[in-house]
């Protein structure tokens, strides 16, 4: 009963402020104030205020909020510890799976169990250096980065 009276008083005061604001010819602001001031009385009429008042004074509800708070605290603690270690659960799982199925030698650039290499071609193929990484290193040279840009600018006459 007290909550309904307070909400009604807040709504009446808000509508009064809206009227004064409208008198000062600030109609948009007055309409917005009137909309906000009608919310408490709307909550009273729908029964939300009575429901919230019933929940707020039950000890079992506050115990439930305490349990929810504890679970949130435990969850955030585990997240902080996980971030501090630098790995997530998925990363650790992927690392374990990679350790079991490792088909590439630690220093090799290609899998050690290549398909279609043949028995006699193994040592000969291993002795040849690959040329693709060299091309990538040459393309990454500082002078070549601007050559593409210069070509585009010349194309447009700049």
């Amino acid at each position: 009963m007290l909550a309904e009276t307070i909400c009604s008083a807040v709504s009446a005061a808000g509508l009064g402020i809206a009227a004064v604001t409208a008198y000062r010819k600030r109609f948009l602001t007055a309409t917005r104030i009137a909309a906000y001031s009608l919310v408490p009385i709307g909550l009273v009429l729908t029964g939300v205020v009575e429901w919230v008042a019933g929940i707020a004074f039950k000890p079992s509800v506050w115990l439930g909020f305490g349990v929810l708070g504890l679970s949130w605290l435990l969850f955030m603690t585990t997240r902080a510890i996980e971030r501090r270690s630098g790995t997530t659960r998925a990363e650790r799982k992927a690392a374990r799976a990679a350790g079991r199925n490792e088909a590439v030698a630690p220093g090799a650039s290609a899998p050690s169990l290549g398909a279609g290499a043949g028995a006699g071609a193994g040592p000969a193929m291993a002795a040849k250096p690959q040329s693709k990484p060299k091309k990538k290193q040459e393309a990454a040279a500082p002078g070549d980065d601007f050559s593409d840009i210069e070509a585009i600018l010349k194309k447009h006459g700049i």
Side-chain angles (χ1 to χ4, degrees), residues 1 8 13 41 43 54 88:
M1 180 79 176
S8 299
I41 196 71
L43 291 174
T88 62

Side-chain angles (χ1 to χ4, degrees), residues 42-129:
L43 291 174
V44 167
L45 293 174
T46 57
V48 172
V49 172
E50 185 179 334
W51 177 73
V52 169
I55 287 177
F57 298 115
K58 289 183 181 176
S60 61
V61 172
W62 287 105
L63 184 63
F65 281 124
V67 169
L68 287 174
L70 178 65
S71 68
W72 178 81
L73 181 69
L74 292 173
F75 178 70
M76 294 315 266
T77 303
T78 58
R79 292 283 304 240
I81 291 170
E82 196 171 64
R83 284 184 181 162
R84 192 164 219 199
S85 68
T87 60
T88 62
R89 183 176 180 218
E91 290 173 347
R92 289 190 302 267
K93 187 176 180 182
R96 275 187 267 129
R100 279 187 252 133
N101 299 330
E102 189 172 329
V104 178
S109 61
S112 57
L113 302 173
M125 292 294 278
K128 287 186 181 179

Side-chain angles (χ1 to χ4, degrees), residues 7 19-20 30 38 45 50 54 71-72 120 134 137 141 151:
C7 287
V20 170
L38 290 174
L45 293 174
E50 185 179 334
S71 68
W72 178 81
K134 289 182 182 178
Q137 290 173 355

Side-chain angles (χ1 to χ4, degrees), residues 106-153:
S109 61
S112 57
L113 302 173
M125 292 294 278
K128 287 186 181 179
Q130 292 183 356
S131 62
K132 288 184 181 179
K134 289 182 182 178
K135 288 182 183 177
K136 287 181 182 177
Q137 290 173 355
E138 290 173 3
D144 290 339
D145 287 344
F146 295 110
S147 64
D148 295 338
I149 297 171
E150 289 175 5
I152 293 170
L153 292 174

